Amino acid sequence: MTAKENFFKGFIKENPLFVQVLGTCPALAITKSLENAIGMGMALLFVLVFSNLLVSLVTVNPKIRELVMPVRIPVFIVLIASLVVIVEMVMKAFVPVLFETLGVFIPLIVVNCIIFGRAEAFASDHKPLESVIDGAGMALGFTLAIAIMSLVREILGAGTITVWGEAALDLHFLYDFLGIQPIDMFLKPVGAFFTFGFILAVIAAIENAKKAKLAAAAVKGGTK
Amino acid sequence: MKKALTSGLVLLILGIVCGTVLAVVNFFTAPIIEAREKAEKYAALEEMGIVLADYDDISEQSGISSTIEKAIYLSQNGDLKVAVYTVIGSGYSSGLKMMIVVDENMEVLGYSVLAHNETAGIGADVLQSHDYNMVGSILPDLSQFDATSSPTAPITNAGVRNCFIVAGTRAAIDFGGGQ
């Protein structure tokens, strides 16, 4: 696998949220605005890149690997938890409003399946650079996925797109033009499940259409 | 046995390294967090009409009791003039955190709700209602609470009332019973 393939696999082919269905708790809880999604995505990017790097560093040398592997689960958890605490402290100091908004979902990154999954399945068996690229690709893929969910929920639920702080795009003129109101349900938990389910259904429909096309091509090829 | 000791040693070294890194990060972020929280609190005080420049000594005391999280004392020429209490009052179902400002005459100069679990649009609105306007009241006189007409008042009332009782009791200690 080339570095480019390694990086981009997390965006669509192996997207952590929409394909692997990992990290659904924060995805459902914090996707009320694009700002939240970007903040969560950046926090996850930092933790995932550095956890992959550290896990790879402590497992790449055969002698250290021999010492670490019997206790790899607590070792990985200590590394991930330390990175999450660093993120918490930095966010609390420099972006307190976002820190308050994301609330408990920042400390919960410790138990995010994506991070532990990448540490166990990829970083512990790959070189540091490959692991960093994998972590960055997966985290950005997750960020892209929650950004899509946030856009859908925020536009339909609030009629705005909040990029960062006061920088928000007001789309109420569209609603006024159509003579309708934003649907508040999309900002509530039920709206998160609805949006997530709808996106998964669209992805499944595309996958099925692809398979059907391939099957039709195979039948056509066989007939010839 | 040797394997267990090695594993323990690995985790011990890792714990020490991670702890050191976290201590270093905390060394840089803690003062920033503290300064920001202090600035927010002082800004809130100034919104209540308290000019901090008028006082020559500002001191803080934390963890006074389970219900008083913090107190800020503003003094002039060594005399305590204003006390600001961050208090936690328990309601029927949830806690309420308030900042209450009291002067040397036990008069409430201002207050604000810092955290609550009231229902948005119902109990939360009541907290800002004029029914609860305690500015100018002398603690611990809480008779104004009984005059409320809001249908949701009994829910919120307990928490707000408890906050003022706590603040009033502490103010009585700090100001020597008021005047």
Side-chain angles (χ1 to χ4, degrees):
Chain A
M1 188 185 285
T2 65
K4 195 179 167 185
E5 284 172 339
N6 186 17
F7 181 72
F8 284 106
K9 71 177 188 288
F11 283 71
I12 297 171
K13 198 178 163 191
E14 291 181 28
N15 187 289
L17 186 62
F18 293 148
V19 178
Q20 299 180 57
V21 197
L22 296 174
T24 50
C25 282
L28 293 169
I30 59 96
T31 51
K32 286 180 187 172
S33 76
L34 185 60
E35 183 189 20
N36 288 358
I38 294 169
M40 187 71 188
M42 292 306 105
L44 193 90
L45 178 68
F46 173 83
V47 176
L48 193 48
V49 165
F50 280 94
S51 72
N52 268 13
L53 175 66
L54 294 173
V55 166
S56 182
L57 283 173
V58 297
T59 52
V60 74
N61 183 308
K63 281 184 182 172
I64 302 174
R65 184 184 175 88
E66 201 180 314
L67 294 170
V68 166
M69 286 317 266
V71 282
R72 69 183 189 284
I73 305 290
V75 166
F76 294 172
I77 287 176
V78 169
L79 289 173
I80 295 166
S82 302
L83 290 166
V84 171
V85 175
I86 290 173
V87 166
E88 262 192 283
M89 289 194 285
V90 171
M91 283 184 83
K92 201 173 177 186
F94 298 105
V95 278
V97 178
L98 186 65
F99 176 75
E100 292 289 328
T101 310
L102 295 177
V104 73
F105 292 97
I106 292 294
L108 280 179
I109 293 176
V110 175
V111 288
N112 191 309
C113 305
I114 303 169
I115 295 168
F116 200 77
R118 295 325 290 174
E120 177 73 2
F122 193 92
S124 59
D125 285 324
H126 289 81
K127 290 176 182 167
L129 183 63
E130 291 171 2
S131 301
V132 167
I133 294 170
D134 172 78
M138 284 292 164
L140 291 173
F142 180 77
T143 308
L144 179 71
I146 56 174
I148 291 170
M149 276 190 69
S150 298
L151 277 174
V152 173
R153 291 183 67 192
E154 198 182 352
I155 292 171
L156 294 178
T160 55
I161 301 173
T162 315
V163 184
W164 198 265
E166 297 296 309
L169 186 65
D170 192 346
L171 301 174
H172 277 91
F173 68 93
L174 268 177
Y175 283 95
D176 292 342
F177 177 73
L178 296 168
I180 54 171
Q181 290 290 317
I183 310 160
D184 193 42
M185 177 201 81
F186 279 97
L187 296 180
K188 300 197 183 316
V190 65
F193 279 101
F194 188 82
T195 309
F196 188 49
F198 184 75
I199 292 171
L200 289 186
V202 169
I203 291 168
I206 294 168
E207 285 293 315
N208 287 342
K210 267 186 191 171
K211 279 179 192 166
K213 204 174 175 183
L214 282 174
V219 170
K220 205 175 175 185
T223 318
K224 278 182 183 175
Chain B
M1 184 65 183
K2 194 185 169 190
K3 210 174 176 181
L5 275 174
T6 313
S7 297
L9 198 64
V10 167
L11 289 173
L12 179 69
I13 292 167
L14 184 68
I16 291 168
V17 172
C18 288
T20 309
V21 172
L22 291 179
V24 170
V25 176
N26 186 55
F27 176 78
F28 289 106
T29 55
I32 299 170
I33 295 167
E34 200 181 330
R36 183 180 47 74
E37 285 175 350
K38 206 170 189 174
E40 279 174 6
K41 196 170 283 171
Y42 288 178
L45 285 178
E46 295 204 345
E47 266 180 32
M48 290 178 191
I50 293 162
V51 183
L52 294 168
D54 292 348
Y55 303 94
D56 48 30
D57 183 46
I58 302 171
S59 60
E60 287 190 21
Q61 198 180 345
S62 298
I64 296 167
S65 68
S66 59
T67 48
I68 304 179
E69 197 178 87
K70 195 174 260 188
I72 302 173
Y73 299 113
L74 310 178
S75 305
Q76 276 174 344
N77 304 320
D79 295 330
L80 180 61
K81 295 288 179 188
V82 174
V84 184
Y85 302 109
T86 304
V87 294
I88 298 158
S90 54
Y92 285 120
S93 60
S94 61
L96 182 71
K97 193 169 167 182
M98 291 183 79
M99 186 164 80
I100 298 171
V101 188
V102 184
D103 73 1
E104 59 193 325
N105 300 317
M106 305 277 281
E107 184 181 333
V108 177
L109 299 179
Y111 59 91
S112 67
V113 175
L114 302 176
H116 66 83
N117 290 316
E118 291 295 330
T119 310
I122 307 172
D125 288 352
V126 175
L127 292 170
Q128 309 303 332
S129 147
H130 289 295
D131 294 338
Y132 286 106
N133 193 352
M134 291 289 287
V135 175
S137 302
I138 305 294
L139 289 181
D141 174 25
L142 300 168
S143 59
Q144 287 194 32
F145 280 101
D146 302 328
T148 180
S149 58
S150 169
T152 49
I155 302 165
T156 311
N157 194 353
V160 179
R161 194 184 176 95
N162 288 353
C163 285
F164 279 102
I165 290 171
V166 169
T169 310
R170 185 67 205 182
I173 296 168
D174 290 334
F175 291 108
Q179 309 229 335

